[in-house]
């Protein structure tokens, strides 16, 4: 039977704007008819993936999510710099060495990048015509195909999540193409760079990917992350701020140089995460050790890493003061129902923990005769629990 690891976290953030909407204000949601602050699951997962915690634990087992891989491939083709080096945070610069022409490098990089995205137009035409054929189609009034990868910029319209094996295969292909200098990649070489699973790629195995044009290469996410919401009524407030000109000698005016407004909010957030441990292990090619490392990294990141939005302005970093980890084969369930009725003023932290634990106990009582799942927890308010033991419990 499938084993699920479920996490329930309570984290208190001071005034912050961790996750903004299109109006540059904190995201919100109505729950139980009450306004709450919200942090989206996309924001949380991004923060965890790129965090020092995640990278230190899994530095050699993470993938790359980008629109711009085609540009890096071209650079590797014309300079000879290994693709793996160019994908680092601060890659070195190098001049073209003439082994592959700029024209060929552009075309070959486009062919490689286009393997991962939809190469069909809205009319369903394959984008395999050369420029002359495209011209004929236009003259005949046909709708020519257009790739989702630009031939000019080599950027794709959609973000693609590449596994570690795929990145290595593309690096090997670049090296092979440079040896010949003039021969384009074959159909077989292009097909070989895509992989159907994600061994050695913890974040891809955890969060999955969808390739609409190549569904056989989709990876089902082994981790589900809810949007975090405040357990109480919360409001978005406005901060009026100004910037003063250091060189203003008050010869013409004594006012500020710039002024503006920034939305913010503070609150106690509940977050729910569910990990399908068996699917995660399957996605990782059956690697039990990497499965445990990945779960530990995720749990630690979820408990200690805050989204980066407006951190320089608010310094709203926080760790979860309460974490409950449950493990078992039962159908997973969130405990958000505990906060459908908002926690009121008073001892909000203690009341939130009590409400969460009471909801868990009541669900266990009516569904499972009072038998709870195996669990471990920490409660920083009471100085109760050991986080390292909780990590070991969740992973093993």
């Amino acid at each position: 039977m499938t084993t699920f690891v479920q996490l329930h976290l309570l984290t208190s953030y001071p005034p912050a704007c961790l996750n903004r909407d299109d109006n540059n204000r904190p995201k919100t949601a109505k729950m139980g008819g009450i306004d709450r602050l919200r942090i989206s699951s996309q924001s949380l997962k991004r923060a965890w993936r790129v965090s020092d915690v995640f990278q230190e634990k899994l530095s050699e087992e993470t993938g790359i999510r980008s629109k711009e891989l085609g540009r890096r491939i071209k650079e590797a083709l014309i300079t000879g710099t290994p693709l793996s080096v160019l994908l680092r945070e601060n890659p070195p610069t190098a001049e073209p060495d003439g082994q592959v022409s700029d024209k060929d490098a552009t075309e070959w990089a486009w062919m490689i990048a286009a393997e991962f995205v939809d190469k069909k137009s809205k009319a369903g035409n394959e984008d395999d015509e050369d420029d002359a054929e495209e011209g004929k189609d236009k003259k005949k009034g046909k709708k020519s195909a257009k790739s989702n990868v630009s031939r000019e910029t080599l950027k794709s319209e959609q973000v693609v999540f590449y596994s570690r094996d795929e990145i290595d295969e593309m690096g090997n292909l670049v090296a092979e193409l440079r040896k010949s200098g003039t021969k384009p990649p074959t159909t077989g070489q292009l097909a070989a760079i895509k992989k159907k699973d994600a061994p050695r790629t913890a974040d891809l195995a955890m969060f999955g990917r969808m390739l609409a044009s190549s569904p056989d290469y989709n990876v089902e996410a082994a981790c589900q992350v809810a949007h975090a919401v405040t357990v109480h009524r919360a409001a978005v407030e406005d901060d009026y701020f100004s910037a003063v000109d250091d060189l203003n000698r008050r010869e013409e005016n004594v006012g500020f140089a710039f002024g503006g407004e920034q939305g913010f909010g503070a609150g106690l957030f509940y977050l729910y995460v569910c990990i399908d441990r068996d699917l995660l292990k399957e996605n990782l090619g059956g690697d039990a050790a990497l499965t445990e490392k990945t779960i530990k990294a995720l749990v630690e990141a979820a408990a200690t890493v805050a989204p980066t939005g407006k951190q320089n302005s608010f310094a709203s970093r926080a760790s979860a003061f309460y974490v409950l980890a449950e493990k078992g084969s039962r159908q997973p369930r969130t405990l958000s129902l505990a906060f459908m009725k908002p926690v009121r003023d008073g001892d909000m932290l203690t009341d939130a923990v009590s409400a969460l634990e009471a909801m868990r106990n009541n669900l266990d009582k009516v569904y499972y005769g009072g038998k709870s799942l195996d669990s471990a927890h920490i409660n920083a308010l009471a100085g109760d629990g050991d986080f390292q033991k909780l990590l070991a419990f969740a992973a093993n």
Side-chain angles (χ1 to χ4, degrees), residues 93-387:
T93 57
E95 295 296 322
D97 61 9
Q99 191 162 332
V100 177
S101 70
D102 186 271
K103 180 181 178 182
D104 284 344
T106 300
E107 181 65 15
W108 300 350
W110 177 85
M111 293 171 69
I112 295 170
E115 275 298 305
F116 290 88
V117 297
D118 193 349
K119 293 184 289 184
K120 294 181 180 180
S121 70
K122 292 181 180 179
N125 301 317
E126 288 288 348
D127 189 19
D128 55 4
E129 303 96 352
D130 58 23
D131 291 340
E133 289 298 320
E134 288 182 8
K136 290 178 184 178
D137 283 345
K138 290 177 182 177
K139 289 179 181 178
K140 294 177 183 178
K142 293 181 180 179
K143 192 170 184 178
S144 61
K146 180 181 179 182
S147 171
N148 281 342
V149 179
S150 167
R151 289 182 181 270
E152 289 75 32
T153 66
L154 297 177
K155 291 178 64 174
S156 62
E157 293 180 4
Q158 69 187 81
V159 179
V160 179
F161 209 154
Y162 303 93
S163 73
R164 179 65 60 179
D165 282 351
E166 288 167 338
I167 293 167
D168 289 348
E169 287 289 346
M170 284 185 277
N172 294 335
L173 178 54
V174 166
E176 291 179 23
L177 294 173
R178 277 182 54 82
K179 286 180 182 178
S180 71
T182 57
K183 294 181 181 179
T186 66
T187 301
Q189 287 176 317
L190 292 173
I193 62 179
K194 287 191 293 189
K195 305 299 179 183
K196 291 188 176 182
D197 47 20
R200 301 173 54 227
T201 314
D203 48 355
L204 176 52
M206 187 71 76
F207 301 127
R209 77 172 175 195
M210 184 184 76
L211 297 175
S213 60
S214 303
D216 285 347
Y217 296 91
N218 290 348
V219 177
E220 184 178 355
C223 178
Q224 299 171 344
V225 181
H227 290 229
V229 294
T230 54
V231 304
H232 53 81
R233 182 191 298 272
V236 176
E237 302 179 69
D238 290 298
D239 175 37
Y240 177 75
F241 63 89
S242 62
V244 179
D245 188 335
D246 291 342
L247 299 182
N248 183 348
R249 306 305 184 200
R250 303 189 178 190
E251 295 169 351
E252 296 182 3
N253 62 72
V254 296
F256 56 81
F258 173 79
E261 291 185 359
Q262 172 64 61
F264 70 92
L268 172 58
F269 289 80
Y270 167 70
L271 171 63
Y272 172 69
V273 179
C274 179
I275 304 167
D276 183 332
R277 194 183 194 285
D278 300 287
L279 178 58
L280 177 61
K281 185 177 179 180
E282 179 183 337
N283 286 348
L284 291 172
D287 190 329
L290 182 54
T291 300
E292 292 188 8
K293 281 177 60 178
T294 300
I295 292 175
K296 282 186 176 181
L298 180 77
V299 175
E300 184 170 351
T304 63
V305 174
T308 57
K310 289 290 181 178
Q311 283 290 3
N312 289 344
S313 298
F314 292 100
S316 52
R317 300 179 182 275
S319 295
F321 76 89
Y322 179 88
V323 181
L324 170 64
E326 300 179 295
K327 187 167 58 178
S329 59
R330 289 181 188 170
Q331 182 67 22
R333 80 284 183 264
T334 175
L335 297 177
S336 60
L337 183 60
F339 308 112
M340 186 65 68
K341 181 179 179 180
V343 176
R344 302 295 183 182
D345 297 338
D347 191 353
M348 187 174 290
L349 301 180
T350 300
D351 291 348
V353 172
S354 297
L356 189 148
E357 292 182 343
M359 179 54 61
R360 177 203 184 200
N361 294 337
N362 287 340
L363 285 172
D364 288 340
K365 178 180 178 180
V366 298
Y367 278 100
Y368 304 105
K371 182 176 176 58
S372 298
L373 288 167
D374 290 340
S375 66
H377 79 278
I378 61 166
N379 185 343
L381 289 179
D384 184 24
D386 183 320
F387 188 62

